[in-house]
Coordinates of all heavy atoms in Angstrom, one line a residue:
M1 N 1.9 -7.1 -13.5 CA 0.7 -6.3 -13.3 C 0.5 -6.0 -11.8 O 0.1 -4.9 -11.4 CB -0.5 -7.0 -13.9 CG -1.7 -6.1 -13.7 SD -3.2 -6.4 -14.7 CE -3.4 -8.1 -14.8
A2 N 0.8 -7.0 -11.0 CA 0.6 -6.9 -9.5 C 1.5 -5.8 -9.0 O 1.1 -5.0 -8.1 CB 0.8 -8.2 -8.8
R3 N 2.8 -5.8 -9.4 CA 3.7 -4.7 -9.0 C 3.3 -3.3 -9.4 O 3.4 -2.4 -8.6 CB 5.1 -5.0 -9.5 CG 5.9 -5.9 -8.6 CD 7.3 -6.1 -9.0 NE 7.4 -7.4 -9.6 CZ 8.1 -7.7 -10.7 NH1 8.8 -6.8 -11.3 NH2 8.1 -8.9 -11.1
A4 N 2.8 -3.2 -10.6 CA 2.4 -1.9 -11.1 C 1.1 -1.4 -10.3 O 1.0 -0.3 -9.9 CB 2.0 -2.0 -12.5
L5 N 0.2 -2.3 -10.0 CA -1.0 -2.0 -9.2 C -0.6 -1.6 -7.8 O -1.2 -0.7 -7.2 CB -2.0 -3.1 -9.3 CG -2.8 -3.3 -10.6 CD1 -3.6 -4.5 -10.6 CD2 -3.7 -2.1 -10.9
G6 N 0.3 -2.4 -7.2 CA 0.8 -2.1 -5.9 C 1.4 -0.8 -5.8 O 1.2 0.0 -4.8
A7 N 2.2 -0.4 -6.8 CA 2.8 0.9 -6.8 C 1.8 2.1 -6.9 O 2.0 3.1 -6.3 CB 3.9 1.0 -7.9
L8 N 0.8 1.8 -7.7 CA -0.3 2.8 -7.8 C -1.1 3.0 -6.6 O -1.6 4.1 -6.3 CB -1.2 2.5 -9.0 CG -0.6 2.7 -10.4 CD1 -1.6 2.1 -11.4 CD2 -0.4 4.2 -10.6
L9 N -1.4 1.9 -5.9 CA -2.3 2.0 -4.8 C -1.7 2.1 -3.4 O -2.3 2.3 -2.4 CB -3.2 0.7 -4.7 CG -4.1 0.4 -5.9 CD1 -4.7 -0.9 -5.9 CD2 -5.1 1.5 -6.0
S10 N -0.3 2.0 -3.3 CA 0.3 2.1 -2.0 C 0.7 3.5 -1.6 O 0.8 4.4 -2.5 CB 1.6 1.2 -2.0 OG 2.5 1.8 -2.9
T11 N 0.7 3.7 -0.3 CA 1.1 5.0 0.2 C 2.2 4.7 1.3 O 2.3 3.7 1.9 CB -0.1 5.7 0.9 OG1 -0.6 4.9 1.9 CG2 -1.1 6.1 -0.1
G12 N 3.0 5.7 1.6 CA 4.0 5.6 2.6 C 3.4 5.8 4.0 O 2.7 6.8 4.2
V13 N 3.7 4.9 4.9 CA 3.2 4.9 6.2 C 4.4 5.0 7.2 O 5.4 4.2 7.0 CB 2.3 3.7 6.5 CG1 1.8 3.7 7.9 CG2 1.2 3.6 5.5
A14 N 4.3 5.8 8.2 CA 5.4 5.9 9.2 C 5.6 4.5 9.8 O 4.7 3.8 10.3 CB 5.1 6.9 10.3
D15 N 6.9 4.1 9.9 CA 7.2 2.7 10.3 C 8.3 2.7 11.4 O 9.0 1.7 11.5 CB 7.6 1.8 9.1 CG 7.6 0.4 9.4 OD1 6.8 -0.1 10.2 OD2 8.5 -0.3 8.9
G16 N 8.5 3.8 12.1 CA 9.5 3.8 13.1 C 10.7 4.8 12.8 O 10.5 5.7 12.0
W17 N 11.8 4.6 13.5 CA 12.9 5.5 13.4 C 14.2 4.7 13.2 O 14.4 3.6 13.6 CB 13.1 6.3 14.7 CG 12.0 7.2 15.0 CD1 10.9 6.9 15.8 CD2 11.8 8.5 14.6 NE1 10.1 8.0 15.9 CE2 10.6 9.0 15.1 CE3 12.5 9.3 13.8 CZ2 10.1 10.3 14.9 CZ3 12.1 10.6 13.5 CH2 10.9 11.1 14.1
D18 N 15.1 5.3 12.4 CA 16.5 4.8 12.2 C 17.4 5.7 13.0 O 17.5 6.9 12.8 CB 16.9 4.8 10.8 CG 16.1 3.7 10.0 OD1 15.9 2.7 10.6 OD2 15.8 3.9 8.8
S19 N 18.2 5.2 13.9 CA 19.1 6.0 14.8 C 20.5 6.0 14.1 O 20.8 5.3 13.2 CB 19.3 5.4 16.1 OG 18.1 5.2 16.8
G20 N 21.4 6.9 14.6 CA 22.7 7.0 14.2 C 22.9 7.7 12.9 O 23.9 7.5 12.1
A21 N 22.0 8.6 12.5 CA 22.2 9.4 11.3 C 23.0 10.7 11.6 O 23.1 11.2 12.7 CB 20.8 9.7 10.7
E22 N 23.5 11.3 10.5 CA 24.3 12.5 10.7 C 23.4 13.8 10.5 O 23.9 14.9 10.7 CB 25.4 12.6 9.7 CG 26.5 11.6 10.0 CD 27.8 11.7 9.2 OE1 27.9 12.7 8.5 OE2 28.6 10.8 9.3
E23 N 22.1 13.6 10.2 CA 21.2 14.7 10.1 C 19.8 14.1 10.4 O 19.5 13.0 10.2 CB 21.2 15.4 8.8 CG 20.9 14.5 7.6 CD 21.1 15.2 6.3 OE1 21.9 16.2 6.2 OE2 20.4 14.8 5.3
G24 N 18.9 15.0 10.8 CA 17.5 14.6 11.1 C 17.1 15.2 12.4 O 17.4 16.3 12.8
H25 N 16.3 14.4 13.2 CA 15.8 14.8 14.5 C 16.8 14.4 15.5 O 17.4 13.3 15.4 CB 14.5 14.2 14.8 CG 13.4 14.6 13.8 ND1 12.7 15.8 13.9 CD2 12.9 13.9 12.7 CE1 11.8 15.8 12.9 NE2 11.9 14.7 12.2
I26 N 17.0 15.2 16.6 CA 18.0 14.8 17.6 C 17.4 13.6 18.4 O 16.3 13.6 18.8 CB 18.2 16.0 18.6 CG1 18.9 17.1 17.8 CG2 19.0 15.6 19.8 CD1 19.2 18.4 18.7
D27 N 18.3 12.6 18.6 CA 17.9 11.4 19.3 C 18.4 11.6 20.7 O 19.6 11.6 21.1 CB 18.6 10.2 18.7 CG 18.1 8.9 19.2 OD1 17.3 8.9 20.2 OD2 18.5 7.8 18.7
G28 N 17.4 11.8 21.6 CA 17.7 12.1 23.1 C 18.5 10.9 23.7 O 19.2 11.1 24.7
S29 N 18.3 9.7 23.3 CA 18.9 8.6 23.9 C 20.4 8.5 23.6 O 21.2 7.7 24.2 CB 18.2 7.3 23.5 OG 18.4 7.0 22.1
I30 N 20.9 9.2 22.6 CA 22.3 9.2 22.2 C 23.0 10.5 22.6 O 24.2 10.6 22.3 CB 22.4 8.9 20.7 CG1 21.7 7.6 20.3 CG2 23.8 8.8 20.2 CD1 21.7 7.2 18.9
L31 N 22.4 11.4 23.2 CA 23.0 12.7 23.5 C 24.2 12.5 24.5 O 25.1 13.3 24.4 CB 22.0 13.7 24.1 CG 21.1 14.4 23.1 CD1 20.1 15.3 23.8 CD2 21.9 15.2 22.1
A32 N 24.1 11.6 25.4 CA 25.2 11.3 26.3 C 26.5 11.0 25.5 O 27.6 11.3 25.9 CB 24.9 10.2 27.3
R33 N 26.4 10.3 24.4 CA 27.5 10.0 23.6 C 28.2 11.2 23.0 O 29.4 11.3 22.9 CB 27.1 9.1 22.4 CG 28.2 8.5 21.6 CD 27.7 7.7 20.4 NE 26.9 6.6 20.8 CZ 26.1 6.0 19.9 NH1 26.1 6.3 18.6 NH2 25.3 5.0 20.3
L34 N 27.4 12.3 22.8 CA 28.0 13.5 22.3 C 28.9 14.2 23.4 O 29.9 14.8 23.1 CB 26.9 14.5 21.9 CG 27.3 15.8 21.3 CD1 28.2 15.6 20.0 CD2 26.1 16.7 21.0
V35 N 28.5 14.1 24.6 CA 29.3 14.6 25.7 C 30.6 13.9 25.9 O 31.7 14.5 26.1 CB 28.5 14.6 27.0 CG1 29.3 15.0 28.2 CG2 27.2 15.5 26.9
T36 N 30.6 12.6 25.8 CA 31.8 11.8 26.0 C 32.7 11.8 24.7 O 33.9 11.6 24.9 CB 31.4 10.3 26.3 OG1 30.6 9.8 25.3 CG2 30.7 10.3 27.7
S37 N 32.1 11.9 23.6 CA 32.9 12.0 22.3 C 32.4 13.2 21.5 O 31.5 13.1 20.7 CB 32.6 10.7 21.5 OG 32.9 9.6 22.2
P38 N 33.1 14.4 21.8 CA 32.7 15.6 21.1 C 32.7 15.5 19.6 O 32.0 16.2 18.9 CB 33.6 16.6 21.6 CG 34.2 16.1 22.8 CD 34.2 14.6 22.7
G39 N 33.5 14.6 19.0 CA 33.6 14.5 17.6 C 32.5 13.7 17.0 O 32.4 13.6 15.7
E40 N 31.7 13.1 17.8 CA 30.6 12.2 17.3 C 29.6 13.1 16.6 O 29.1 14.1 17.1 CB 30.0 11.5 18.5 CG 28.9 10.5 18.1 CD 29.4 9.4 17.2 OE1 30.3 8.7 17.6 OE2 28.7 9.2 16.1
R41 N 29.2 12.7 15.4 CA 28.2 13.4 14.6 C 26.9 12.6 14.4 O 26.0 13.2 13.8 CB 28.8 13.8 13.3 CG 30.0 14.7 13.4 CD 29.6 16.1 13.8 NE 30.8 17.0 13.9 CZ 31.1 17.7 15.0 NH1 30.3 17.6 16.0 NH2 32.2 18.4 15.0
R42 N 26.9 11.4 14.8 CA 25.7 10.6 14.5 C 24.8 10.5 15.7 O 24.6 9.5 16.4 CB 26.2 9.2 14.1 CG 27.0 9.2 12.8 CD 27.5 7.8 12.4 NE 28.5 7.5 13.4 CZ 28.8 6.3 13.9 NH1 28.1 5.3 13.4 NH2 29.7 6.1 14.8
V43 N 24.2 11.7 16.0 CA 23.3 11.8 17.2 C 21.9 12.1 16.8 O 21.1 12.5 17.5 CB 23.8 12.9 18.2 CG1 25.1 12.4 18.8 CG2 23.9 14.2 17.5
F44 N 21.6 11.9 15.5 CA 20.3 12.2 15.0 C 19.5 10.9 14.6 O 20.1 9.8 14.5 CB 20.4 13.1 13.7 CG 21.0 14.4 14.0 CD1 22.4 14.6 13.8 CD2 20.2 15.4 14.6 CE1 22.9 15.8 14.1 CE2 20.8 16.7 14.8 CZ 22.2 16.9 14.6
R45 N 18.3 11.0 14.4 CA 17.4 9.9 13.9 C 16.6 10.4 12.8 O 16.2 11.6 12.7 CB 16.6 9.3 15.0 CG 15.6 10.2 15.6 CD 14.8 9.6 16.7 NE 13.8 10.5 17.2 CZ 12.8 10.1 18.0 NH1 12.8 8.9 18.5 NH2 11.9 11.0 18.4
T46 N 16.2 9.5 11.9 CA 15.4 9.8 10.7 C 14.2 8.9 10.7 O 14.3 7.8 11.2 CB 16.2 9.7 9.4 OG1 16.7 8.3 9.3 CG2 17.3 10.6 9.3
G47 N 13.1 9.4 10.2 CA 11.9 8.6 10.2 C 12.0 7.6 9.0 O 12.5 7.8 8.0
R48 N 11.4 6.4 9.3 CA 11.4 5.3 8.3 C 10.0 5.2 7.9 O 9.0 5.2 8.6 CB 11.9 4.1 9.0 CG 12.0 2.9 8.1 CD 12.6 1.7 8.8 NE 12.0 1.4 10.0 CZ 12.6 1.1 11.2 NH1 13.9 1.1 11.2 NH2 11.9 0.8 12.3
T49 N 9.8 5.0 6.6 CA 8.5 4.8 6.0 C 8.4 3.4 5.3 O 9.5 3.0 4.8 CB 8.0 5.9 5.0 OG1 9.0 5.9 4.0 CG2 7.9 7.2 5.7
A50 N 7.3 2.8 5.2 CA 7.1 1.6 4.5 C 5.9 1.7 3.6 O 4.9 2.4 4.0 CB 6.9 0.4 5.5
A51 N 5.9 1.1 2.5 CA 4.8 1.2 1.5 C 3.7 0.2 1.9 O 4.0 -1.0 2.1 CB 5.3 0.9 0.1
R52 N 2.5 0.6 2.1 CA 1.4 -0.2 2.4 C 0.2 0.0 1.5 O -0.1 1.2 1.2 CB 1.0 0.0 3.9 CG 2.0 -0.5 4.8 CD 1.4 -1.0 6.1 NE 2.5 -1.4 7.0 CZ 2.8 -0.8 8.1 NH1 2.1 0.2 8.6 NH2 3.8 -1.2 8.9
T53 N -0.5 -1.0 1.1 CA -1.6 -0.9 0.3 C -2.9 -1.0 1.1 O -3.1 -2.1 1.7 CB -1.6 -1.9 -0.9 OG1 -0.4 -1.8 -1.6 CG2 -2.8 -1.7 -1.8
E54 N -3.6 0.0 1.3 CA -4.9 0.0 2.0 C -6.0 0.4 1.1 O -6.4 1.5 1.1 CB -4.8 0.9 3.3 CG -3.7 0.5 4.2 CD -3.6 1.4 5.4 OE1 -4.4 2.3 5.6 OE2 -2.6 1.2 6.2
A55 N -6.5 -0.6 0.3 CA -7.5 -0.3 -0.6 C -8.4 -1.5 -0.7 O -8.0 -2.6 -0.6 CB -6.9 0.0 -2.0
T56 N -9.7 -1.2 -1.0 CA -10.7 -2.3 -1.3 C -11.4 -1.9 -2.6 O -11.8 -0.8 -2.7 CB -11.7 -2.4 -0.1 OG1 -11.0 -2.7 1.1 CG2 -12.7 -3.5 -0.4
L57 N -11.4 -2.8 -3.5 CA -12.0 -2.6 -4.8 C -13.2 -3.5 -5.0 O -13.1 -4.7 -4.6 CB -11.0 -2.7 -5.9 CG -10.1 -1.5 -6.1 CD1 -8.8 -1.8 -5.3 CD2 -9.8 -1.3 -7.5
T58 N -14.2 -3.0 -5.6 CA -15.4 -3.8 -6.0 C -15.6 -3.7 -7.5 O -15.5 -2.6 -8.0 CB -16.6 -3.3 -5.2 OG1 -16.4 -3.4 -3.8 CG2 -17.8 -4.2 -5.6
F59 N -15.9 -4.8 -8.2 CA -16.1 -4.7 -9.6 C -17.6 -4.8 -9.8 O -18.3 -5.6 -9.3 CB -15.5 -6.0 -10.3 CG -14.0 -5.9 -10.3 CD1 -13.3 -6.6 -9.3 CD2 -13.3 -5.2 -11.2 CE1 -11.9 -6.6 -9.3 CE2 -11.9 -5.2 -11.2 CZ -11.2 -5.9 -10.2
L60 N -18.1 -3.9 -10.7 CA -19.5 -3.9 -11.1 C -19.5 -4.5 -12.5 O -18.9 -4.0 -13.5 CB -20.0 -2.5 -11.1 CG -21.4 -2.3 -11.6 CD1 -22.4 -3.0 -10.7 CD2 -21.8 -0.8 -11.7
V61 N -20.2 -5.6 -12.6 CA -20.3 -6.3 -13.9 C -21.7 -6.3 -14.4 O -22.6 -6.6 -13.7 CB -19.8 -7.8 -13.7 CG1 -19.9 -8.6 -15.0 CG2 -18.4 -7.9 -13.1
D62 N -21.8 -5.9 -15.7 CA -23.1 -5.9 -16.4 C -23.5 -7.3 -16.9 O -22.8 -7.9 -17.7 CB -23.0 -4.9 -17.6 CG -24.3 -4.8 -18.4 OD1 -25.3 -5.3 -17.9 OD2 -24.3 -4.1 -19.4
C63 N -24.5 -7.8 -16.3 CA -25.0 -9.1 -16.7 C -26.3 -9.1 -17.4 O -27.1 -10.0 -17.4 CB -25.2 -10.0 -15.4 SG -23.7 -10.3 -14.5
S64 N -26.5 -8.0 -18.2 CA -27.8 -7.9 -18.9 C -27.7 -8.8 -20.2 O -26.7 -9.3 -20.5 CB -28.0 -6.4 -19.3 OG -26.9 -6.0 -20.2
G65 N -28.8 -8.8 -20.9 CA -28.9 -9.7 -22.0 C -27.9 -9.4 -23.1 O -27.4 -10.3 -23.8
S66 N -27.6 -8.1 -23.3 CA -26.7 -7.7 -24.4 C -25.2 -8.1 -24.1 O -24.4 -8.1 -25.0 CB -26.7 -6.2 -24.6 OG -26.3 -5.5 -23.4
M67 N -24.9 -8.5 -22.8 CA -23.6 -8.9 -22.4 C -23.4 -10.4 -22.3 O -22.3 -10.8 -22.0 CB -23.2 -8.2 -21.1 CG -23.1 -6.7 -21.2 SD -21.8 -6.1 -22.3 CE -20.3 -6.7 -21.5
K68 N -24.4 -11.1 -22.6 CA -24.3 -12.6 -22.4 C -23.2 -13.2 -23.2 O -22.6 -14.1 -22.8 CB -25.7 -13.3 -22.8 CG -26.8 -13.0 -21.8 CD -26.5 -13.6 -20.5 CE -27.7 -13.4 -19.6 NZ -27.5 -13.7 -18.2
E69 N -23.0 -12.7 -24.5 CA -22.0 -13.3 -25.3 C -20.6 -13.1 -24.8 O -19.7 -13.7 -25.2 CB -22.2 -12.9 -26.8 CG -21.9 -11.4 -27.0 CD -22.0 -11.0 -28.4 OE1 -23.2 -10.7 -28.8 OE2 -21.0 -10.9 -29.1
H70 N -20.4 -12.0 -24.0 CA -19.1 -11.7 -23.5 C -18.9 -12.1 -22.0 O -17.9 -11.8 -21.4 CB -18.9 -10.2 -23.5 CG -19.1 -9.5 -24.8 ND1 -18.2 -9.7 -25.9 CD2 -20.1 -8.8 -25.3 CE1 -18.7 -9.1 -26.9 NE2 -19.8 -8.5 -26.6
S71 N -19.8 -12.9 -21.5 CA -19.7 -13.3 -20.1 C -18.4 -14.1 -19.7 O -17.8 -13.9 -18.7 CB -21.0 -14.1 -19.7 OG -21.0 -15.3 -20.4
G72 N -18.0 -15.0 -20.6 CA -16.8 -15.7 -20.3 C -15.5 -14.9 -20.3 O -14.7 -15.0 -19.4
A73 N -15.4 -14.0 -21.3 CA -14.3 -13.1 -21.3 C -14.3 -12.1 -20.1 O -13.2 -11.8 -19.5 CB -14.3 -12.3 -22.6
V74 N -15.4 -11.6 -19.8 CA -15.5 -10.7 -18.6 C -15.2 -11.4 -17.3 O -14.5 -10.9 -16.5 CB -16.9 -10.1 -18.5 CG1 -17.1 -9.3 -17.2 CG2 -17.2 -9.2 -19.7
A75 N -15.6 -12.7 -17.2 CA -15.3 -13.4 -16.0 C -13.8 -13.6 -15.8 O -13.2 -13.5 -14.8 CB -16.0 -14.8 -16.0
V76 N -13.1 -14.0 -16.9 CA -11.7 -14.1 -16.9 C -11.0 -12.8 -16.6 O -10.0 -12.8 -15.8 CB -11.2 -14.7 -18.3 CG1 -9.6 -14.7 -18.3 CG2 -11.7 -16.1 -18.5
L77 N -11.4 -11.7 -17.2 CA -10.8 -10.4 -17.0 C -10.9 -10.0 -15.5 O -10.0 -9.6 -14.9 CB -11.4 -9.4 -17.9 CG -10.9 -8.0 -17.8 CD1 -9.4 -8.0 -18.3 CD2 -11.7 -7.1 -18.7
V78 N -12.1 -10.2 -14.9 CA -12.3 -9.8 -13.5 C -11.5 -10.7 -12.6 O -10.9 -10.2 -11.6 CB -13.8 -9.9 -13.2 CG1 -14.1 -9.8 -11.7 CG2 -14.6 -8.8 -13.9
D79 N -11.4 -12.0 -12.9 CA -10.6 -12.9 -12.1 C -9.1 -12.5 -12.1 O -8.5 -12.5 -11.1 CB -10.8 -14.3 -12.6 CG -10.1 -15.3 -11.7 OD1 -10.3 -15.3 -10.5 OD2 -9.3 -16.1 -12.3
V80 N -8.6 -12.2 -13.3 CA -7.2 -11.8 -13.4 C -6.9 -10.5 -12.6 O -6.0 -10.4 -11.9 CB -6.8 -11.6 -14.9 CG1 -5.4 -10.9 -15.0 CG2 -6.7 -13.0 -15.6
F81 N -7.8 -9.5 -12.8 CA -7.6 -8.3 -12.0 C -7.8 -8.5 -10.5 O -7.0 -7.9 -9.7 CB -8.6 -7.2 -12.5 CG -8.2 -6.4 -13.6 CD1 -8.8 -6.4 -14.8 CD2 -7.0 -5.6 -13.5 CE1 -8.4 -5.6 -15.9 CE2 -6.6 -4.8 -14.6 CZ -7.3 -4.8 -15.8
A82 N -8.7 -9.3 -10.1 CA -8.9 -9.6 -8.7 C -7.7 -10.3 -8.1 O -7.2 -9.9 -7.0 CB -10.1 -10.4 -8.4
R83 N -7.1 -11.2 -8.8 CA -5.9 -11.9 -8.3 C -4.7 -11.0 -8.2 O -3.9 -11.0 -7.3 CB -5.6 -13.1 -9.2 CG -6.5 -14.3 -9.0 CD -6.2 -15.4 -10.0 NE -7.3 -16.3 -10.0 CZ -7.2 -17.6 -9.7 NH1 -6.0 -18.0 -9.3 NH2 -8.2 -18.4 -9.7
A84 N -4.5 -10.1 -9.3 CA -3.4 -9.2 -9.3 C -3.6 -8.2 -8.1 O -2.6 -7.8 -7.5 CB -3.4 -8.4 -10.6
L85 N -4.8 -7.7 -7.9 CA -5.0 -6.8 -6.8 C -4.7 -7.4 -5.4 O -4.2 -6.8 -4.5 CB -6.4 -6.2 -6.8 CG -6.7 -5.2 -7.9 CD1 -8.2 -5.0 -8.2 CD2 -6.0 -3.9 -7.6
E86 N -5.1 -8.7 -5.3 CA -4.8 -9.4 -4.0 C -3.3 -9.6 -3.8 O -2.8 -9.4 -2.7 CB -5.6 -10.7 -3.9 CG -7.1 -10.5 -3.7 CD -7.9 -11.8 -3.8 OE1 -7.3 -12.8 -4.1 OE2 -9.1 -11.7 -3.5
L87 N -2.6 -9.8 -4.9 CA -1.1 -9.9 -4.8 C -0.5 -8.6 -4.5 O 0.5 -8.5 -3.8 CB -0.5 -10.5 -6.1 CG -0.7 -11.9 -6.4 CD1 -0.3 -12.3 -7.8 CD2 0.0 -12.8 -5.4
A88 N -1.1 -7.5 -4.9 CA -0.6 -6.2 -4.6 C -1.0 -5.7 -3.2 O -0.5 -4.7 -2.8 CB -1.2 -5.2 -5.6
G89 N -1.8 -6.5 -2.5 CA -2.2 -6.1 -1.1 C -3.5 -5.5 -1.0 O -3.9 -5.2 0.1
A90 N -4.3 -5.3 -2.0 CA -5.6 -4.8 -2.0 C -6.6 -5.9 -1.7 O -6.4 -7.0 -2.0 CB -5.9 -4.0 -3.2
R91 N -7.7 -5.5 -1.2 CA -8.8 -6.5 -1.0 C -9.9 -6.2 -2.1 O -10.1 -5.1 -2.5 CB -9.5 -6.3 0.4 CG -8.5 -6.6 1.5 CD -9.2 -6.4 2.8 NE -9.9 -5.2 2.8 CZ -10.2 -4.5 3.9 NH1 -9.9 -4.9 5.0 NH2 -10.8 -3.3 3.8
C92 N -10.5 -7.3 -2.5 CA -11.6 -7.2 -3.5 C -12.8 -7.5 -2.8 O -13.0 -8.6 -2.3 CB -11.3 -8.2 -4.7 SG -9.9 -7.7 -5.7
G93 N -13.8 -6.6 -2.8 CA -15.0 -6.8 -2.1 C -16.0 -7.7 -2.9 O -16.0 -7.6 -4.1
G94 N -16.7 -8.5 -2.2 CA -17.7 -9.3 -2.9 C -19.1 -8.8 -2.6 O -19.3 -8.1 -1.6
G95 N -20.0 -9.1 -3.3 CA -21.3 -8.7 -3.1 C -22.3 -9.5 -3.9 O -22.0 -10.4 -4.6
R96 N -23.6 -9.1 -3.8 CA -24.7 -9.7 -4.5 C -25.2 -8.8 -5.5 O -25.2 -7.6 -5.4 CB -25.8 -10.1 -3.5 CG -25.4 -11.2 -2.5 CD -26.5 -11.5 -1.6 NE -27.7 -11.6 -2.2 CZ -28.9 -11.8 -1.6 NH1 -28.9 -11.8 -0.3 NH2 -30.0 -11.8 -2.3
A97 N -25.8 -9.4 -6.6 CA -26.4 -8.6 -7.6 C -27.8 -8.1 -7.2 O -28.5 -8.8 -6.5 CB -26.5 -9.5 -8.9
L98 N -28.1 -6.9 -7.5 CA -29.4 -6.3 -7.3 C -30.1 -6.2 -8.5 O -29.6 -5.8 -9.6 CB -29.2 -4.9 -6.7 CG -28.8 -4.8 -5.2 CD1 -28.7 -3.3 -4.9 CD2 -29.9 -5.3 -4.4
Q99 N -31.4 -6.6 -8.5 CA -32.3 -6.4 -9.6 C -33.1 -5.2 -9.4 O -33.9 -5.1 -8.5 CB -33.2 -7.6 -9.8 CG -34.1 -7.5 -11.0 CD -33.3 -7.6 -12.3 OE1 -32.4 -8.3 -12.4 NE2 -33.8 -6.8 -13.3
L100 N -32.8 -4.1 -10.1 CA -33.5 -2.9 -9.9 C -34.9 -2.9 -10.6 O -35.0 -3.5 -11.7 CB -32.7 -1.7 -10.5 CG -31.3 -1.5 -9.8 CD1 -30.6 -0.4 -10.5 CD2 -31.5 -1.1 -8.4
P101 N -35.9 -2.2 -10.1 CA -37.2 -2.2 -10.7 C -37.1 -1.6 -12.1 O -36.4 -0.6 -12.3 CB -38.0 -1.3 -9.8 CG -37.3 -1.3 -8.5 CD -35.9 -1.5 -8.8
G102 N -37.8 -2.2 -13.1 CA -37.7 -1.6 -14.4 C -36.6 -2.1 -15.3 O -36.5 -1.7 -16.4
C103 N -35.7 -3.0 -14.8 CA -34.6 -3.5 -15.6 C -34.9 -4.9 -16.1 O -35.5 -5.6 -15.5 CB -33.3 -3.5 -14.7 SG -32.7 -1.9 -14.3

């Protein structure tokens, strides 16, 4: 479950360059090699990306009287999801319960 959540929440982030490619952007630091070896074709560089998860999730749990009988199952479910999200690289926000007027 953590791998699936990580794949859903991750995005590709630029993580540097790979030199010595046969196509891509011209690598200025290797151009001298082209002058000395005209047959050299690996004078390009390509961008490298890495998957990173930059997400924060907060769970809203109904603790009203009608949900009292399900409190144990809900607690286990939220705990499993929170652990899976943390393994996937996401943060789970914590907070306090608010009692709204009239509730």
